[in-house]
Amino acid sequence: MNRWQRFLIPLLILTMLSSIPGIPLGVDLRGYPLVLHLAVGSLFAAVLVLFLFQPPTKLGRLSSLSWLLISSGLVALVVPMLGWVSAETGHLWLETHGWLSIGGLGLLGLSASLEKKATADRD
């Protein structure tokens, strides 16, 4: 995953940064920020799918949980996109997508920090 993380993590951070105008609760992400978010997010999702075809690598529990949250955030988009819920409920699914992704990014940063500290303690 280390080789893929060098490409995935900057894409993930850029995707998160492009969603900043929609972070306050009740504010929709619209216009050019939404287009940028969708473009970078689609590229991120495509690279993440390509990663699925690679041989499995061993990750720590916290890192695995963070990638699970990020992937769950992407899956949360499928429900409103397929029209399985009403428009108002679809908005809740979109907010869930955002918060799962933000939580996953936070845990990914925490796991990197703990891993860096553990390697520094070993040396």
Side-chain angles (χ1 to χ4, degrees):
M1 179 81 176
N2 290 335
R3 184 178 60 189
W4 284 94
Q5 278 183 343
R6 289 187 186 131
F7 190 66
L8 278 173
I9 291 175
L11 270 177
L12 177 63
I13 291 171
L14 185 59
T15 304
M16 292 291 177
L17 288 175
S18 66
S19 70
I20 286 176
I23 286 181
L25 291 176
V27 175
D28 289 337
L29 183 62
R30 296 175 187 251
Y32 290 118
L34 176 61
V35 172
L36 179 64
H37 182 68
L38 290 174
V40 177
S42 297
L43 181 61
F44 170 74
V47 173
L48 193 59
V49 167
L50 289 175
F51 170 71
L52 293 174
F53 294 106
Q54 298 298 314
T57 57
K58 186 173 181 172
L59 296 174
R61 288 182 184 169
L62 198 55
S63 183
S64 296
L65 178 62
S66 66
W67 284 109
L68 179 64
L69 282 175
I70 292 166
S71 300
S72 299
L74 289 172
V75 170
L77 285 176
V78 173
V79 174
M81 287 173 68
L82 293 177
W84 291 343
V85 293
S86 67
E88 189 170 314
T89 308
H91 189 73
L92 291 174
W93 279 92
L94 291 176
E95 284 185 0
T96 301
H97 149 75
W99 290 112
L100 282 173
S101 299
I102 289 170
L105 182 64
L107 280 179
L108 194 61
L110 179 64
S111 71
S113 171
L114 292 176
E115 184 177 307
K116 186 176 180 180
K117 182 180 176 187
T119 56
D121 288 344
R122 241 185 294 155
D123 294 338

